[in-house]
Amino acid sequence: MPDESKPNLHAEAPIAVYDSGLGGLTVVRAIMRLMPSESIVYFGDTARVPYGNKSARTVGLFASQCLQFLARLHPKIMVVACNTVSATAMPALLREFTIPLYGVLEPGAAAAVRIARRRFPAGDCSIGLIATEATVASRAYPMAISRIDQHVHVAARACPLLVPLIEEGRDGDSPLVKIVLEEYIDPLRQISPAALILGCTHYPILSDAIAAAASPDTILVDSAAETAALVRNRLQSLELLRTGSAGKLSCYVTDQGQRFEAIASRFLSRPVGHPVWVDPESIETSTMESI
Ligand code: DGL
């Protein structure tokens, strides 16, 4: 008898990537670079972004709805490319879904400790973290980091204005972005952290401007590349890696605006095409029916 609780995964199936908005495209870009033959289905909950100022309960509910939508597309693996969801809702999501599911927080935390320890092999040292209010309030990063190394301390700063600026299409050359970064990063610059975690998948879009605002010897940690490496390892060990022709990217969004296509194409340096609109009410309803 086949085990119905285990999904039937195959190499031709896509990798599903989910974020509250555009930021998860940083993970898509890293996956495309590392595994160009993989097809990707991307879901951006653009109607309900930002998640970073919402309660853990709301974030968990939205995440469950969006991942249920993606699971119906039969992916071989799902990536929560959103730090806020990874920090606040992963245990419940891992219980809910049988398809292999990974967040961005653990790979980012592990990379930050590796970098810090390369610079300071022994004793206490500190790492900076910039993230959304919900991610900072969850304390998920300090907990993950102290599980790896109790002597690595985290100085965290919530940066609530950055996500709206990025979703607006502002880049690191914007004078407004520079002023906001100066304000947020200045207290962290004072402590010269060994590494600075970009604890929000939107932030790598501003990485040059963030590096300019941080102290010159601080190394930025972008969990996108780390997460892509983890996904490749998992697919390899499950014998689910696809080889051959270039994979396809299909995008689904919950807002009908034109902004996603323009910003995504610019960000991925390739035309992204029209995203498919998903009515947020329909995913809310189908989740309620399945409860
Ligand atoms: N993608 C979210 C994260 O990585 C930031 C955007 C939001 O607040 O929804 O935390």
Side-chain angles (χ1 to χ4, degrees), residues 111-130:
V113 173
R114 255 194 335 267
I115 290 168
R117 279 295 169 225
R118 219 178 289 141
R119 297 187 59 197
F120 301 98
D124 286 14
C125 68
S126 40
I127 284 178
L129 166 71
I130 51 173

Side-chain angles (χ1 to χ4, degrees), residues 55 66 83 182:
S55 69
C66 298
N83 278 272
E182 191 62 32

Side-chain angles (χ1 to χ4, degrees), residues 19-21 23 49-53 81-84 132 135 163 199-202:
D19 180 46
S20 56
V49 69
Y51 286 5
N53 55 8
C82 175
N83 278 272
T84 303
T132 64
T135 298
V163 168
C200 169
T201 41
H202 283 63

Side-chain angles (χ1 to χ4, degrees), residues 7-282:
N8 185 13
L9 308 172
H10 57 95
E12 290 304 308
I15 297 173
V17 179
Y18 154 60
D19 180 46
S20 56
L22 285 158
L25 291 170
T26 57
V27 177
V28 169
R29 183 171 63 175
I31 291 174
M32 283 173 159
R33 281 187 185 151
L34 202 61
M35 295 167 277
S37 300
E38 297 293 347
S39 289
I40 298 172
V41 284
Y42 181 81
F43 190 103
D45 194 4
T46 48
R48 302 188 292 191
V49 69
Y51 286 5
N53 55 8
K54 297 187 171 70
S55 69
R57 190 177 180 281
T58 301
V59 171
L61 180 67
F62 288 176
S64 166
Q65 292 168 347
C66 298
L67 288 170
Q68 283 189 29
F69 176 88
L70 279 172
R72 287 198 282 275
L73 304 177
H74 305 293
K76 56 188 172 185
I77 195 164
M78 299 202 286
V79 182
V80 172
C82 175
N83 278 272
T84 303
V85 176
S86 303
T88 58
M90 272 322 267
L93 296 172
L94 287 167
R95 283 194 298 276
E96 181 177 352
F97 293 95
T98 49
I99 299 166
L101 177 68
Y102 294 92
V104 286
L105 191 141
E106 305 282 342
V113 173
R114 255 194 335 267
I115 290 168
R117 279 295 169 225
R118 219 178 289 141
R119 297 187 59 197
F120 301 98
D124 286 14
C125 68
S126 40
I127 284 178
L129 166 71
I130 51 173
T132 64
E133 287 168 295
T135 298
V136 171
S138 74
R139 297 198 37 80
Y141 267 103
M143 289 190 290
I145 284 169
S146 85
R147 279 196 295 273
I148 306 170
D149 187 330
Q150 286 181 28
H151 298 282
V152 178
H153 307 289
V154 178
R157 186 91 164 105
C159 304
L161 289 174
L162 292 185
V163 168
L165 286 169
I166 294 165
E167 292 278 332
E168 274 266 315
R170 307 271 179 150
D171 60 24
D173 293 329
S174 150
L176 191 56
V177 168
K178 286 185 182 156
I179 293 170
V180 169
L181 281 175
E182 191 62 32
E183 165 90 14
Y184 284 145
I185 295 188
D186 190 52
L188 294 175
R189 197 174 39 220
Q190 314 292 335
I191 59 164
S192 263
L196 177 61
I197 301 174
L198 305 182
C200 169
T201 41
H202 283 63
Y203 298 172
I205 293 172
L206 300 179
S207 55
D208 289 346
I210 293 171
S215 57
D217 54 349
T218 295
I219 297 171
L220 301 192
V221 182
D222 163 3
S223 49
E226 302 294 327
T227 304
L230 172 79
V231 168
R232 187 176 60 178
N233 287 346
R234 290 306 299 141
L235 290 178
Q236 208 154 27
S237 59
L238 294 165
E239 297 182 2
L240 289 173
L241 268 180
R242 183 175 188 272
T243 50
S245 56
K248 287 195 305 244
L249 169 67
S250 318
C251 296
Y252 297 82
V253 293
T254 50
D255 183 58
Q256 278 177 313
Q258 306 295 314
R259 195 182 283 159
F260 181 89
E261 189 177 340
I263 301 179
S265 303
R266 179 150 54 88
F267 181 65
L268 294 176
S269 314
R270 56 178 261 180
V272 162
H274 289 308
V276 177
W277 177 62
V278 179
D279 183 349
E281 270 185 33
S282 75

